[in-house]
Amino acid sequence: MCLGIPGEVTRWIDRDPLLARAEVRFGELSRVCHLACVPEAEIGDYVIVHAGIAISKVNPDEARRLFDELDQFALREELATEIPPAGDIHEIP
Amino acid sequence: MKYLDEYRDRDQAHQWITRIQRLASRRWVLMEVCGGQTHSLLKYGIESALKDDIELVHGPGCPVCVTPIGVLDQAQELARQPDITLCSFGDMLRVPGSTSSLLQTRAQGGTVKMVYSPLEAVSFAEQHPERQVVFFAVGFETTTPATALAVLQAHQLCLKNFSLLVHHVRVQPAMEAIMQLPEVRVQAFLAAGHVCTVMGYDTYASFVEKYQVPVVVTGFEPLDLLAGIHECIRQLESGNAQTSNQYPRSVRLEGNLSARQLIDQVYEVNDQEWRGLGEIPESGYRLRAKWEQFNAGKRFGMMPAKVQNDASLCQAGEVLSGQMRPTECPSFGKACTPETPMGAPMVSSEGACAAYYRYRLPIIT
Amino acid sequence: MAHPAWLLNCPVSVSAQSDCVTLAHGEGGRLMRRLLDQIVHPSLGCTLPFADAAILQPAGNRLAFSTDSYVVSPIFFPGGDIGSLAVYGTCNDLAVSGAIPRWLSLSLILEEGLPIAVLEKVLHSIAQTTAECQVQIITGDTKVVPHGEADGIFLNTTGIGELMEPVPPGAESLQEGDVLITSGHIGRHGIAILAAREQLDFHPAPSSDGALLLPAISALRTGIGSEVRAMRDATRGGITAVLHEWAIASQKTLFVDESCIPIDAVTRSACELLGLEPLHLACEGTMLMAVSAQHAEEAVSILRKVEISRHAAIIGRVESRAVTPVIIRRTLGREQSLDEPSGSPLPRIC
């Protein structure tokens, strides 16, 4: 479940902890979202919005990790000639 | 769109698929808990691309599907009261209760308003002091902070005409319940990325320890899902079950502390009934005593009736717990279609049955 | 002994100067005549009242005849209103059948309590749109129903158009290899209505694509004439509904490539945010066409020179019948069946 879409914080409207709201831009569309759970977000940060509230701030360094990892996997797979045999400890009886 | 399009890259996806295929020495059984992931896996064809290498079974992570019939009936009963406006998420409107859905209730004169966010229901209540506004608060931990915030905002605004019909559910107890089934086949979990965004994933350590299954926190875009699947297979092949985070751009070990605090402030854990699965200990949230004035059931003296589960022909429980594939159900695509759903997983587009019907089944006319 | 306070004003609440439509406006008497003479006819730019029946003198061409009712909520939305929709909708139905729209009838069903100002605004929009489409309203009807029995205003337009040769033979004639073209961005009307009705507060507010398709169709007729097999405006159910209809009519399988389907950035963002499938969303100024393979590129270049179809694109082709009526190649390259939409699109949280 839980549709969450990343958008860029473009303008703070209210920084009151409970009523924190900011304008968030999703591609070409902006909408006011609630930021009570991501009060530290600054303009230009990306937040993930679910049901109108931001639930996290996107970490840009970690966002790249997936792509770096693919390159590393490429390297590792070429170097590693053996894959450890599958154990049965996670086989469900 | 940034942080969306790059995770749908065709070439990279194919590289991941190849890697997974190379890595898998046998056909492993993985469960994606979250309905949003089920939707993506089928829509993007990942499930069929990997069908020889992994079996994906689809978990109970669609809050719309697991909301019990009695609670749906209660929501409809509230919507039929002349002074009540029932606000609900869009995907809840089509789900059948014992006789009808909220959409049908609206057609028969009930007042049902669709909202995108629980906080819109608060604004609506503020603008319409003459109406009683009830928000139908369903959803997993991802959605719970939003409804908690609605309660706190309504309190701050001293709204006397706002209340909630709460049926929030928690993911991890459902995963426990699945692992305790007698014929469980699940060998690894893709944990729900946005639930973990709120709750973190440190609580999975004991789960992994206890059941020796990998739990890999996974996002929703194709590359996220493929990276999550790859990590599951890597662990399974190496015989070493761990928790791992493959959605670190959104998920931190401890989750989102502000969001968790909101949940804590407003809700407490309770035993909850799941449609298709029955009661699961500590699998839900209810309003704390302090916020009882926001409990719509109490306010209007309407508690959910215990309603016998779906028609015996619907095998939703087996599907939701991963014991049966949607296509194995005798009613699938015949008596049970999105137009005539016999059970909730056929209703919501995140329901495993509807996702299969929409994306997987060749429709013969 | 004191008399009770006599009610000295007339107890009948209807006033000739009412700023709202009342049931009395529908009763056929003086009030109705005033409504028609002072509001409806002048707003539509008619100098004479409508006759009981309009007499037509067609030039000799075969005629196309189409009707549609309009019940959209809200009545006004970014990019249009129920009035413009009622004119474009019926004119487009005629145009995609190969006709030039000539005459329209207009039926108004008004809910008691509808502000006269709203009625006037809708009528002005109708007048403006008929002028743009070069069609004439030649007969009409007005009814008032009690409060609660309609949603403000319902419209029906029936249109007659003159068929222009070559008339596209229709979806039954689709042949293997024919190319599928969309005349523009898909899903705009569906998102615009949803955003306006549910007050989703998007900025910019998504705007409907409501427009007359005739210029694009005329250009295509002049350019490649008989190479056009079928045209259909992709209204309710979006292009998916048209694809399914054509698959049934032709007994072929229609194949589309998701990455080729033009969608504007605002609609796309809204669909992501709400979890909606743009292929299922209504269009009001976008059509699907099937064209012979040899002339497909030419068709697109003709369409792109016309303002209304400047985003035209090839999106797929007609194939021999497979197990599935409509196949879509999704962004990752996998081919899947594309299911028909069921019910109106609802935003999802999960």
Side-chain angles (χ1 to χ4, degrees), chain A residues 9-77:
Chain A
V9 177
T10 53
R11 185 168 64 94
W12 270 97
I13 293 166
D14 193 341
R15 292 200 92 147
D16 173 281
L18 209 50
L19 301 170
R21 281 173 309 142
E23 200 171 78
V24 180
R25 191 175 60 83
F26 305 90
E28 295 302 311
L29 200 68
S30 287
R31 189 180 197 280
V32 175
C33 296
H34 291 261
L35 260 68
C37 298
V38 195
E40 74 280 12
E42 295 300 339
I43 300 207
D45 283 343
Y46 275 74
V47 292
I48 292 184
V49 174
H50 167 77
I53 82 162
I55 53 169
S56 69
K57 196 172 96 175
V58 176
N59 180 328
D61 299 326
E62 294 288 6
R64 278 191 289 275
R65 208 178 84 179
L66 191 89
F67 302 100
D68 298 343
E69 241 168 58
L70 193 63
D71 299 338
Q72 281 170 20
F73 279 137
L75 201 64
R76 200 192 306 159
E77 273 202 6

Side-chain angles (χ1 to χ4, degrees), chain B residues 10-52:
Chain B
R10 192 183 289 201
D11 293 340
Q12 298 239 21
H14 286 157
Q15 286 184 48
W16 278 108
I17 288 169
T18 309
R19 265 155 234 283
I20 291 166
Q21 288 169 334
R22 280 199 203 140
L23 195 57
S25 63
R26 49 164 288 188
R27 195 163 180 253
W28 298 100
V29 181
L30 271 53
M31 174 179 269
E32 87 282 358
V33 179
C34 166
Q37 292 175 335
T38 305
H39 185 90
S40 290
L41 287 165
L42 287 152
K43 176 174 173 183
Y44 291 105
I46 294 171
E47 187 268 348
S48 61
L50 290 171
K51 65 177 185 307
D52 297 331

